[in-house]
Amino acid sequence: MLIPADIEVGIALSGGGARGIAHIGVLQALEDYGIFVKRVSGTSMGAIVGALYCEGIRPIQILEIVSERRFINMFRWRLLKTGLLPLDYLEEKILEYIPHNSFEGLKMPLHICVSNLSTGNSKIVSSGPLMDWVKASASIPVLFPPVTINNEQFVDGGLTNNLPVEPLLEHANRTIGVHVNHNLKVPQVSGIKSVAERVYRLAIWQTVKDRMDECDLVIDPIDARKYGTFDFNQAQELFNIGYKATEEVMYHLTKNINLEKLINLHQRKSPTKEEGPNQNMVQSE
């Protein structure tokens, strides 16, 4: 569906662990083509990226943040002998860039989806203190402890709603859904890590199928499925996948596109790890 430039665009960002880095490439590509979303709804990694983006942090800088060694180590898969991993570093890093710690202080509206561990229901939050809800949305069960808010326990929003389009349908004129857990048949799954991740992805897929139909456009980068939930050390490659997938569907998005920018973008080659995004991207106006 065509999206004129004066229409308010909302974007829903799914969870997916490291695959959620593709969201950053999607946002960069949209900006490079002159499309700026006005509202974000996200869960898990989509909530982290969404919070930073709604604060006005540019996609390239968000990529740098999630590429930091401490960020990568925080999401490293391992069997724990001393209990669950804390999300202290995530809180420290987010508050470094969003010191006001509030939805209301963000530069654009943000909606965060979490799962209530007691009721089994999803909850979408868009007001009040920010950081606890970001941590709750990113709290992957078994890896991270539940986050207690107002005497209730919350975990990863992707468990109950991994593409939270509902607030966008209410507030935005057009909705883009970005789903980074492309569901294809897997020939064989072996090993505790692979089995656990496959089961988790199959479960959250059930929360996505119908919601994709509610979007005006879905970006579902197939190449992202080659990467695991904990492959944060592949950040540049995942960024590139999101960027390329957005370029491939760009003709659906607007009829008021900047033709000169379009020509320039297609003449340059896709960003590579060696060259980095700053050297290849056309900066947004």
Side-chain angles (χ1 to χ4, degrees), residues 200-251:
Y200 193 69
R201 289 173 67 174
L202 287 174
I204 64 177
W205 169 245
Q206 304 307 313
T207 76
V208 170
K209 295 184 292 184
D210 293 339
R211 290 180 170 93
M212 292 174 79
D213 293 336
E214 299 288 338
C215 299
D216 295 299
L217 180 75
V218 174
I219 300 173
D220 188 14
I222 190 170
D223 287 340
R225 71 181 302 276
K226 300 174 184 176
Y227 296 82
T229 301
F230 309 104
D231 286 341
F232 282 86
N233 59 337
Q234 306 296 319
Q236 182 67 61
E237 289 86 345
L238 285 157
F239 174 95
N240 293 345
I241 286 170
Y243 194 99
K244 180 180 178 182
T246 307
E247 283 193 306
E248 290 173 350
V249 299
M250 189 59 63
Y251 69 93

Side-chain angles (χ1 to χ4, degrees), residues 91-146:
E91 180 172 10
E92 173 188 326
K93 181 53 62 174
I94 296 295
L95 291 179
E96 178 182 335
Y97 291 93
I98 313 177
H100 56 78
N101 190 28
S102 70
F103 284 89
E104 290 79 6
L106 297 172
K107 294 179 173 59
M108 73 173 73
L110 172 68
H111 308 267
I112 288 179
C113 182
V114 295
S115 298
N116 187 310
L117 197 57
S118 297
T119 67
N121 297 325
S122 65
K123 177 183 179 72
I124 296 179
V125 185
S126 58
S127 63
L130 176 67
M131 193 59 238
D132 281 349
W133 294 112
V134 172
K135 288 197 300 181
S137 187
S139 184
I140 302 172
V142 181
L143 184 63
F144 299 112

Side-chain angles (χ1 to χ4, degrees), residues 1-10 34-39 171-175 216 253-256:
M1 181 176 291
L2 294 176
I3 302 178
D6 59 344
I7 293 295
E8 180 173 327
V9 178
I35 299 169
F36 294 86
V37 300
K38 302 295 180 61
R39 185 178 296 268
H171 296 288
N173 301 113
R174 295 289 185 271
T175 298
D216 295 299
L253 293 177
T254 182
K255 57 187 176 184
N256 296 324

Side-chain angles (χ1 to χ4, degrees), residues 1-284:
M1 181 176 291
L2 294 176
I3 302 178
D6 59 344
I7 293 295
E8 180 173 327
V9 178
I11 192 165
L13 305 177
S14 76
R19 290 184 298 275
I21 296 171
H23 294 319
I24 309 171
V26 170
L27 292 168
Q28 182 67 63
L30 291 175
E31 288 195 1
D32 283 348
Y33 280 87
I35 299 169
F36 294 86
V37 300
K38 302 295 180 61
R39 185 178 296 268
V40 178
S41 181
T43 189
S44 198
M45 191 61 185
I48 296 173
V49 173
L52 292 167
Y53 189 71
C54 286
E55 178 61 11
I57 310 300
R58 304 277 37 93
I60 292 301
Q61 189 174 3
I62 299 175
L63 177 62
E64 294 171 355
I65 293 169
V66 302
S67 298
E68 292 179 5
R69 177 55 54 186
R70 285 186 66 191
F71 195 99
I72 294 171
N73 288 342
M74 181 177 62
F75 287 97
R76 178 169 291 170
W77 169 271
R78 51 188 165 183
L79 295 176
L80 302 169
K81 297 180 180 179
T82 58
L84 300 174
L85 292 168
L87 282 167
D88 294 347
Y89 178 69
L90 176 63
E91 180 172 10
E92 173 188 326
K93 181 53 62 174
I94 296 295
L95 291 179
E96 178 182 335
Y97 291 93
I98 313 177
H100 56 78
N101 190 28
S102 70
F103 284 89
E104 290 79 6
L106 297 172
K107 294 179 173 59
M108 73 173 73
L110 172 68
H111 308 267
I112 288 179
C113 182
V114 295
S115 298
N116 187 310
L117 197 57
S118 297
T119 67
N121 297 325
S122 65
K123 177 183 179 72
I124 296 179
V125 185
S126 58
S127 63
L130 176 67
M131 193 59 238
D132 281 349
W133 294 112
V134 172
K135 288 197 300 181
S137 187
S139 184
I140 302 172
V142 181
L143 184 63
F144 299 112
V147 176
T148 301
I149 305 172
N150 299 328
N151 297 318
E152 294 187 282
Q153 289 183 307
F154 296 93
V155 294
D156 187 353
L159 281 176
T160 51
N161 184 349
N162 202 40
L163 194 67
V165 300
E166 291 84 350
L168 305 182
L169 299 176
E170 180 180 353
H171 296 288
N173 301 113
R174 295 289 185 271
T175 298
I176 301 172
V178 188
H179 176 247
V180 295
N181 301 290
H182 194 86
N183 192 47
L184 289 179
K185 181 179 179 181
V186 175
Q188 184 176 0
V189 182
S190 60
I192 185 171
K193 175 182 175 182
S194 297
V195 170
E197 185 170 345
R198 178 61 175 169
V199 169
Y200 193 69
R201 289 173 67 174
L202 287 174
I204 64 177
W205 169 245
Q206 304 307 313
T207 76
V208 170
K209 295 184 292 184
D210 293 339
R211 290 180 170 93
M212 292 174 79
D213 293 336
E214 299 288 338
C215 299
D216 295 299
L217 180 75
V218 174
I219 300 173
D220 188 14
I222 190 170
D223 287 340
R225 71 181 302 276
K226 300 174 184 176
Y227 296 82
T229 301
F230 309 104
D231 286 341
F232 282 86
N233 59 337
Q234 306 296 319
Q236 182 67 61
E237 289 86 345
L238 285 157
F239 174 95
N240 293 345
I241 286 170
Y243 194 99
K244 180 180 178 182
T246 307
E247 283 193 306
E248 290 173 350
V249 299
M250 189 59 63
Y251 69 93
H252 285 297
L253 293 177
T254 182
K255 57 187 176 184
N256 296 324
I257 203 162
N258 184 322
L259 292 179
E260 182 178 355
K261 181 177 289 187
L262 176 64
I263 293 170
N264 289 336
L265 283 166
H266 280 281
Q267 284 179 340
R268 62 110 174 96
K269 58 184 177 180
S270 297
T272 63
K273 182 174 182 180
E274 289 74 19
E275 295 170 325
N278 286 316
Q279 298 180 36
N280 288 291
M281 297 297 179
V282 174
Q283 298 299 313
S284 55

